[in-house]
Amino acid sequence: MADASASMTLATLSLIGFALLAGFYLTTLHLLWTLVSVTVTAVLVSQLLRKLRRRDALTERRVCVLVLGDIGRSPRMQYHALSLSKHGYSVTFVGFPGTKPHQDVIGDERITIIPITEVKGLQVGPRMVSYVTKVILQSLQLLLVLLKTDVQSHILMQNPPGLPSIMVTWLVCGLRGSRFIIDWHNYGYTIMALSHGPDHPIVRLAQWYEQLFGRFSSHNLCVSNAMKEDLQNNWNIRATTLYDKPPAIFKETSVDLKHQLFMRLAKTIPQFQVCGERPGGETERTAFTGRDPSDLSVTLTSGRPALLISSTSWTEDEDFSILLKALEDYEGFVKAGASLPSLVCVITGKGPQKDHYRKLIDALSFEHVKICTPWLEAEDYPVLLGSADLGVCLHKSSSGLDLPMKVVDMFGCCLPVCAIHFYCLHELVKHEENGLIFKDSEELSGQLKSLLWDFPGCEDEGKLGQFRRNLRASGGQRWDQNWDQNVLPLLTAP
């Protein structure tokens, strides 16, 4: 280290001496000092780059996983971090704090979470000024955080959001000699267009930005073949399709585990309680299960309601008024004498439009349909999916090119799904094979009626039972095998 430092000092002095000597022969003092300034700047920049790119024996085993969003609500990036750790990489996980990540991520010694705060722009003046200042401040914060970490072999970044993270990450990778991987979950500009309109100047700028800086990455991943083709045809970006696959934690839930979860939820969520019975009583019962005090066995109650589940980020690309109208129709079917069960509808998630829909839900007056909107811990969510009778997905992709991870998780639990139609959904949901695809509330209410007719007798019969059997038989890859085949080769490539 001392020899290297001495060599650098000697080289610096030699260059400065050369500059001064050359300047002696120049005819004007202005040119002399210009040459000296340029030379000194070049030397300082080269020294800075050398420091930023200083690698060690562990550099090739370090990867940064970056999401400019809530880490706990970024399951795919958490799965990336866990897969990297399983293969011996040290992972620096950068993102916003907020929702608690999965316990496997928190407890992994090879994963270090570096929280960054979401910056707000100026709160006075035009919205454009506020947005610009937010981008500038967020860029500076992210740049400093990434430069303070050890040199990484790769930075794996989620897009969206890509503004300003794509440009900043590309710059850091250039300065430090790291390889840049973008995981395209969707297009940021199409999400912005939902609230601003496709012709808004900010939307057009975001599209130009994604297209320009997206080409600077070393590798690209995407979530569907439709997106892969779109990136190639329209932006000349080559990507590898990495379908979302459920990790091993998503599976069918045993009756005992169902009962344990329902008992916990019944303490705070009335919809899981036995009607007219307060939680904590002598009898261990929920709206769906009961434990026999004589032999402590757990069974599903014969007259239980059907458990319907939907998860959401409560954003503009999910119109929950469709589900609410379908549930209103379902209520009418039951009142008209249809052989249908009561329904408990659980809608999980956090997001900007939750309060809006909560007000709509509170205004409803149903007798046979109950709705709750809890937030579940990461460990409880897969258990609830594995306990449900039917899933509903209202994700309608802003680009038409991404696939809903919530459906992937449901299929991992062998849970049949009713999903709203959009382009490329067929890559995941096979109509009349593992679920049903609908276009409006009327079609959804008809599907609920046909799937839940004579429930719970239909649970292992009819379409609902057939869909479950098909999901069990198809099995399919889990996340680990899929990741090993598609991402690991990118990391180990020269």
Side-chain angles (χ1 to χ4, degrees), residues 119-271:
V119 176
K120 297 186 181 297
L122 292 175
Q123 300 302 299
V124 294
R127 288 183 62 186
M128 183 67 75
V129 174
S130 176
Y131 188 77
V132 170
T133 57
K134 175 181 178 179
V135 169
I136 293 173
L137 293 173
Q138 195 79 71
S139 299
L140 292 173
Q141 182 200 38
L142 184 58
L143 180 64
L144 290 174
V145 168
L146 293 179
L147 289 179
K148 284 172 64 178
T149 64
D150 292 328
V151 179
Q152 316 280 330
S153 65
H154 296 77
I155 299 181
L156 171 57
M157 191 209 84
Q158 172 185 307
N159 181 68
L163 187 66
S165 51
I166 297 180
M167 182 182 69
V168 174
T169 306
W170 163 73
L171 176 61
V172 170
C173 286
L175 291 173
R176 311 200 78 176
S178 303
R179 280 152 285 183
F180 182 21
I181 303 175
I182 300 178
D183 190 1
W184 297 82
H185 296 194
N186 200 347
Y187 296 140
Y189 81 91
T190 62
I191 295 176
M192 295 174 69
L194 293 175
S195 53
H196 296 290
D199 296 325
H200 194 282
I202 288 182
V203 176
R204 291 183 174 182
L205 175 64
Q207 182 178 5
W208 170 85
Y209 169 89
E210 279 185 287
Q211 182 176 1
L212 174 64
F213 287 100
R215 294 173 179 169
F216 296 158
S217 56
S218 307
H219 301 289
N220 295 275
L221 303 170
C222 61
V223 296
S224 71
N225 281 330
M227 179 170 282
K228 175 182 177 179
E229 293 173 4
D230 191 78
L231 284 167
Q232 177 66 58
N233 295 337
N234 295 323
W235 289 1
N236 197 28
I237 294 175
R238 296 181 62 183
T240 299
T241 301
L242 178 71
Y243 281 120
D244 283 317
K245 299 290 183 179
I249 58 173
F250 288 93
K251 56 188 177 182
E252 291 187 81
T253 305
S254 68
V255 176
D256 279 340
L257 285 178
K258 287 182 183 181
H259 182 67
Q260 292 174 33
L261 174 66
F262 294 160
M263 288 295 293
R264 291 199 304 274
L265 296 178
K267 294 177 181 178
T268 55
I269 304 174
Q271 290 81 357

Side-chain angles (χ1 to χ4, degrees), residues 36 41 62 89 280 322 328 377 419:
V36 170
T41 300
R62 288 195 292 259
Y89 288 91
I322 294 174
E328 185 177 347
E377 295 295 334

Side-chain angles (χ1 to χ4, degrees), residues 337-391:
S339 182
L340 294 169
S342 296
L343 202 60
V344 172
C345 178
V346 180
I347 307 174
T348 71
K350 293 179 180 178
Q353 291 196 322
K354 184 172 183 177
D355 289 342
H356 166 71
Y357 282 108
R358 270 274 16 140
K359 291 177 182 177
L360 296 180
I361 292 169
D362 291 342
L364 297 172
S365 179
F366 291 154
E367 182 181 349
H368 302 284
V369 177
K370 299 178 181 179
I371 306 172
C372 59
T373 57
W375 170 253
L376 297 173
E377 295 295 334
E379 292 75 22
D380 286 340
Y381 178 62
V383 181
L384 183 60
L385 287 187
S387 305
D389 300 300
L390 181 63

Side-chain angles (χ1 to χ4, degrees), residues 84 87 89 154 179 181 219 221 240 242 480-494:
L84 287 162
H87 285 276
Y89 288 91
H154 296 77
R179 280 152 285 183
I181 303 175
H219 301 289
L221 303 170
T240 299
L242 178 71
D480 288 337
Q481 294 83 9
N482 187 39
W483 193 93
D484 290 353
Q485 288 181 12
N486 292 288
V487 182
L488 190 59
L490 303 180
L491 300 173
T492 55

Side-chain angles (χ1 to χ4, degrees), residues 67 321 380:
V67 51
S321 65
D380 286 340

Side-chain angles (χ1 to χ4, degrees), residues 70-91:
D70 187 339
I71 288 177
R73 294 169 63 193
S74 305
R76 182 172 164 110
M77 303 312 286
Q78 293 185 64
Y79 300 159
H80 275 305
L82 290 169
S83 293
L84 287 162
S85 175
K86 288 176 183 176
H87 285 276
Y89 288 91
S90 295
V91 181

